[in-house]
Amino acid sequence: QVQLVESGGGSVQAGGSLRLSCVASEYTTSSRCMGWFRQAPGKEREGVAWIYTGGGNSYYSDSVKGRFTISHDNAKNTVYLQMNSLKPEDTAMYYCAASNAGSYIMWCSRPSTFRYWGQGTQVTVSS
């Protein structure tokens, strides 16, 4: 069982930046999908970005491409989401998620791959 704890959320004005962190209770240095999802009130959960710890491959949704960067630090069991040029529409609860160890990279695009979830951290962007 992997426990995930997010931090770094907060309130910021449009155009500002935040960096979210997600610390995992256990981590393997290879073959795990780590992702960030978000959910705004009244909207469905949206996949924002994922990274494959086996090779560093990453994916971004069109809504954040060019503004957000996902990265991971194996030594710290931590995944980051650097968010720049924030917009009011980025306002949401952001969740970190992880797959089982031994996952294949092609599984990372499937939301069902992510079996472990954090409690979330709120991001609010004002105009």
Side-chain angles (χ1 to χ4, degrees):
Q1 186 78 7
V2 178
Q3 294 183 333
L4 304 171
V5 179
E6 304 100 330
S7 63
S11 297
V12 65
Q13 289 191 326
S17 299
L18 286 172
R19 188 176 80 156
L20 306 183
S21 299
C22 172
V23 180
S25 60
E26 62 177 74
Y27 210 70
T28 57
T29 58
S30 63
S31 306
R32 196 189 288 272
C33 306
M34 300 294 296
W36 286 96
F37 294 75
R38 67 186 182 187
Q39 187 166 21
K43 295 188 176 181
E44 292 188 356
R45 187 176 62 194
E46 172 192 13
V48 174
W50 59 254
I51 189 166
Y52 183 63
T53 63
N57 306 69
S58 58
Y59 160 86
Y60 300 91
S61 67
D62 288 341
S63 60
V64 306
K65 197 174 296 181
R67 300 187 297 122
F68 291 10
T69 302
I70 189 170
S71 62
H72 69 110
D73 185 332
N74 292 339
K76 296 182 178 180
N77 290 2
T78 302
V79 176
Y80 303 98
L81 185 68
Q82 177 66 44
M83 306 185 296
N84 298 328
S85 302
L86 282 161
K87 305 175 181 180
E89 50 264 44
D90 294 319
T91 295
M93 185 71 78
Y94 283 71
Y95 298 92
C96 175
S99 71
N100 288 322
S103 297
Y104 292 98
I105 185 173
M106 65 281 290
W107 297 353
C108 296
S109 60
R110 298 184 226 160
S112 60
T113 292
F114 295 91
R115 308 300 295 275
Y116 308 102
W117 294 82
Q119 294 299 307
T121 185
Q122 178 69 37
V123 172
T124 303
V125 185
S126 58
S127 57

